[in-house]
């Protein structure tokens, strides 16, 4: 009885796989073949150069090869074209991996999805795009995942703060745009944020606005507390803030003709009570905070197509990096969330563990080398100090011997003089 069930499950799985459409996939598995598929912009003459590399540490020397930024303090502009499509009525899934193994201090790690009509040879920072998605790091304050949506020619930033990964390992970034106008952001195949286009972007005017005709009534009392009218200031309240120091004495050498009339220094008055204020009591006329009434915004119109992009055809890397070394890999654009999840497991998922292990081994080796170098340096310094002490001792001994020889020579000379010269 179980056999048909198994067959049904397998067939259902195959159906899901067959139904998935992959619009773009790039893993850089054919050496320099990627150069025929990607176009470098000529908008500027000094864009940074891309190199194929798996980096200094990796999980698989071939599978982890991606395109790497190679020049510090440069703009980069590279794009790839694919058969144009519309995401109307179906999910749009954008996914790729990023590795900032250079300990990035300031630079982008995001992608842009462009309309098919983009002139790739002239792509630049002001080229209009559909979606900008991915990590951006600059200093300690900016470590975010950008999700910027172009709606009716205007770029709209997401209102939520989505934190990105800022270590040196490879991470998987996924954006899912659903036809019901909801979205989901995943990092390393785990959801980190979700919501709706209407709530999390200011694309549409507000549904409700404050009634321009409504005004707070003139007799509206919004004071929760008021002064106690029965409270009076005590008669002995007012005391000066400072008084002459009663312990001060005029110096014996004070000359009033020369120094003027002596006055004791001022000190804080221990009896000073500050400004008197009456006690506070509950306001019997308090009506609460006045809330401005709202009305339907006549400028608001619901748009059920904010998620839709009619002519998606180019994926681009248009970014700036202060310190180069970021590696982009495993690009995927599809209409199937499960396809993207499985692709992430087959790529990033299989090599993340070995990559971390290799990085740890390299760091351990580098630490041991530093320790050995430090020991060797300390040993040389110690031997150098001992040699200096030895040389100093020999010099002092040599000076004493030389002095004794000189004295002996003088004595012999004196003893060797003829008697008639004595």
């Amino acid at each position: 009885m179980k056999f048909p069930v198994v067959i049904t499950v397998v067939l259902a799985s195959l159906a899901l796989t067959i139904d998935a459409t992959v619009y773009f996939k790039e893993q850089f598995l054919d050496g320099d073949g990627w150069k025929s598929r990607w176009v470098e912009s000529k908008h500027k003459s000094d864009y940074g150069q891309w190199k194929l590399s798996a980096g200094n540490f990796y999980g698989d020397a071939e599978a982890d090869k991606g395109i790497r930024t190679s020049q510090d303090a440069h703009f980069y502009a590279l794009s790839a074209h694919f058969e144009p499509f519309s995401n109307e009525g179906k999910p749009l899934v954008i996914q790729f991996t990023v590795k900032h193994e250079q300990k990035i201090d300031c630079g982008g790690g995001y992608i842009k999805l462009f309309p098919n009509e983009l002139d790739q040879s002239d792509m630049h920072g002001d080229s209009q795009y559909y979606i900008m998605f991915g990590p951006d790091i600059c200093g300690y304050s900016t470590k975010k995942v950008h999700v910027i949506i172009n709606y009716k020619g205007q770029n709209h930033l997401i209102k939520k703060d989505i934190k990105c990964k800022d270590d040196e390992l490879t991470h998987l970034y996924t954006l899912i745009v659903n036809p019901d106008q909801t979205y989901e952001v995943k990092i390393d195949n785990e959801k980190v944020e979700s919501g709706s286009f209407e709530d999390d972007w200011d694309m549409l005017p507000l549904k409700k606005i404050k009634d321009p005709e409504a005004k707070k009534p003139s007799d509206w009392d919004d004071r929760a507390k008021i002064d106690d009218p029965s409270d009076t200031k005590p008669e002995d309240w007012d005391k000066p803030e400072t008084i002459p120091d009663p312990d001060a004495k005029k110096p014996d050498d004070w000359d009033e003709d020369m120094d003027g009339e002596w006055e004791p220094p001022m000190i804080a008055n221990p009896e000073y009570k500050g400004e008197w204020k009456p006690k506070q009591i509950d306001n019997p006329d308090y009506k609460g905070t006045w809330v401005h009434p709202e009305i339907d915004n006549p400028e608001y119109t619901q748009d059920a197509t904010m998620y839709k992009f009619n002519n998606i055809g180019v994926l681009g890397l248009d970014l700036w990096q202060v310190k180069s070394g970021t590696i982009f890999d495993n690009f995927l654009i599809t209409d199937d969330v499960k396809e993207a999840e499985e692709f992430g497991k087959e790529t990033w998922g299989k090599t993340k563990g070995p990559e971390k292990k290799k990085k740890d081994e390299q760091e351990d080796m580098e630490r041991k080398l530093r320790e050995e170098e430090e020991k060797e340096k300390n040993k040389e310094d110690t031997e150098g100090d001992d040699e200096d002490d030895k040389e100093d001792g020999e010099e002092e001994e040599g000076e004493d011997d030389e002095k004794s020889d000189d004295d002996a020579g003088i004595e012999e000379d004196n003893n060797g003089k003829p008697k008639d010269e004595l």
Side-chain angles (χ1 to χ4, degrees):
M1 294 296 293
K2 292 182 179 181
F3 185 69
V5 175
V6 173
I7 292 177
T8 303
V9 172
V10 172
L11 290 176
S13 177
L14 289 173
L16 288 173
T17 304
I18 293 171
D19 289 343
T21 301
V22 174
Y23 302 105
F24 178 75
K25 180 186 287 188
E26 177 64 87
Q27 296 176 262
F28 306 99
L29 300 177
D30 58 347
D32 288 336
W34 68 275
K35 294 181 179 180
S36 65
R37 298 186 295 273
W38 292 75
V39 176
E40 293 191 59
S41 175
K42 300 297 187 292
H43 182 78
K44 294 177 63 176
S45 61
D46 59 347
Y47 280 124
Q49 297 298 305
W50 298 87
K51 305 292 184 182
L52 187 66
S53 174
N56 298 321
F57 53 87
Y58 40 79
D60 186 300
E62 293 301 318
D64 284 349
K65 282 183 178 178
I67 47 175
R68 180 182 188 178
T69 57
S70 65
Q71 294 173 283
D72 294 346
H74 272 71
F75 286 98
Y76 291 84
L78 187 73
S79 63
H81 181 267
F82 44 87
E83 190 68 25
F85 70 95
S86 169
N87 66 317
E88 182 176 6
K90 52 192 172 184
L92 170 62
V93 186
I94 307 164
Q95 184 170 280
F96 60 102
T97 57
V98 182
K99 178 166 69 166
H100 293 309
E101 72 170 22
Q102 76 275 40
K103 297 182 180 179
I104 191 168
D105 50 1
C106 189
Y110 43 79
I111 63 94
K112 291 181 179 180
L113 207 58
F114 291 95
N116 181 58
E117 57 266 22
L118 173 75
D119 180 357
Q120 292 178 258
S121 65
D122 193 46
M123 184 186 75
H124 55 88
D126 292 328
S127 298
Q128 190 172 90
Y129 56 84
Y130 284 145
I131 296 175
M132 174 174 155
F133 168 64
D136 187 21
I137 296 174
C138 197
Y140 294 101
S141 59
T142 302
K143 295 181 180 181
K144 65 169 64 176
V145 177
H146 282 301
V147 188
I148 302 176
I149 305 296
N150 185 283
Y151 179 67
K152 293 185 177 181
Q154 297 294 321
N155 293 332
H156 296 269
L157 283 68
I158 192 170
K159 293 187 287 185
K160 291 180 177 178
D161 186 19
I162 309 174
K163 298 295 184 184
C164 69
K165 301 292 184 180
D166 62 352
D167 56 38
E168 301 156 55
L169 298 170
T170 300
H171 292 285
L172 182 72
Y173 286 87
T174 308
L175 172 64
I176 304 166
V177 175
N178 295 307
D180 63 356
Q181 316 241 75
T182 61
Y183 73 96
E184 184 175 321
V185 174
K186 299 166 73 176
I187 301 179
D188 297 343
N189 261 340
E190 297 289 337
K191 184 176 78 171
V192 296
E193 193 55 82
S194 63
S196 72
F197 273 40
E198 190 162 341
D199 292 338
D200 294 346
W201 282 269
D202 291 326
M203 298 188 207
L204 300 179
L206 296 173
K207 288 183 179 180
K208 297 283 187 178
I209 59 171
K210 293 180 179 179
D211 184 354
E213 302 296 328
K215 295 182 180 179
K216 184 171 70 171
S218 58
D219 63 344
W220 189 278
D221 196 337
D222 55 9
R223 298 172 300 163
K225 297 284 185 178
I226 60 171
D227 294 341
D228 184 353
S230 64
D231 191 21
T232 58
K233 181 171 66 175
E235 295 181 359
D236 62 345
W237 184 273
D238 292 328
K239 300 291 183 181
E241 188 173 353
T242 60
I243 59 173
D245 185 354
D247 297 325
K249 295 181 180 180
K250 183 172 70 175
D252 294 336
D253 60 350
W254 188 272
D255 188 333
E256 291 192 356
D257 292 334
M258 296 289 292
D259 302 325
E261 184 179 355
W262 180 81
E263 294 181 356
M266 304 298 286
I267 62 171
N269 184 1
E271 297 183 359
Y272 176 67
K273 298 179 181 179
E275 180 184 357
W276 182 83
K277 293 181 180 180
K279 292 184 297 184
Q280 297 287 291
I281 61 171
D282 292 335
N283 182 4
D285 297 324
Y286 176 61
K287 295 183 179 180
T289 302
W290 184 74
V291 180
H292 201 127
E294 292 186 335
I295 61 172
D296 291 336
N297 184 358
E299 297 182 2
Y300 171 79
T301 301
Q302 186 179 22
D303 185 354
T305 64
M306 288 188 292
Y307 78 96
K308 185 179 69 171
F309 305 101
N310 290 324
N311 198 28
I312 304 168
V314 178
L315 182 145
L317 296 165
D318 171 43
L319 43 89
W320 160 264
Q321 289 200 335
V322 174
K323 187 187 295 183
S324 64
T326 298
I327 298 175
F328 295 85
D329 196 8
N330 301 312
F331 292 99
L332 180 71
I333 301 175
T334 181
D335 62 359
D336 190 273
V337 175
K338 187 66 176 177
E339 173 74 17
E341 185 176 316
E342 291 301 319
F343 181 68
K345 290 178 181 178
E346 288 298 312
T347 54
W348 167 83
K350 284 189 174 180
T351 61
K352 65 171 183 173
E355 178 191 74
K356 177 68 164 58
K357 181 180 179 182
K358 191 173 186 67
K359 180 178 183 296
D360 291 343
E361 289 173 350
Q362 286 185 1
E363 289 180 346
D364 188 54
M365 184 179 298
E366 289 170 0
R367 177 184 56 79
K368 290 179 179 179
L369 285 174
R370 287 195 302 270
E371 291 175 353
E372 289 298 323
E373 289 174 357
E374 189 66 26
K375 287 180 181 179
E376 189 64 28
K377 184 177 180 300
N378 292 336
K379 181 180 179 182
E380 291 175 357
D381 291 343
T382 302
E383 291 176 351
D385 292 341
D386 293 342
E387 189 65 28
D388 290 342
D389 293 341
K390 182 178 180 181
E391 290 177 359
D392 291 342
E394 290 176 351
E395 287 177 2
E396 291 176 1
E397 183 178 350
E399 289 175 359
D400 291 341
D401 294 342
E402 185 178 349
K403 184 176 179 181
S404 299
D405 292 344
D406 291 344
D407 292 343
I410 293 172
E411 185 176 349
E412 288 176 1
D413 288 344
N414 289 337
N415 293 334
K417 287 182 179 179
K419 291 183 178 180
D420 57 354
E421 292 184 10
L422 297 176

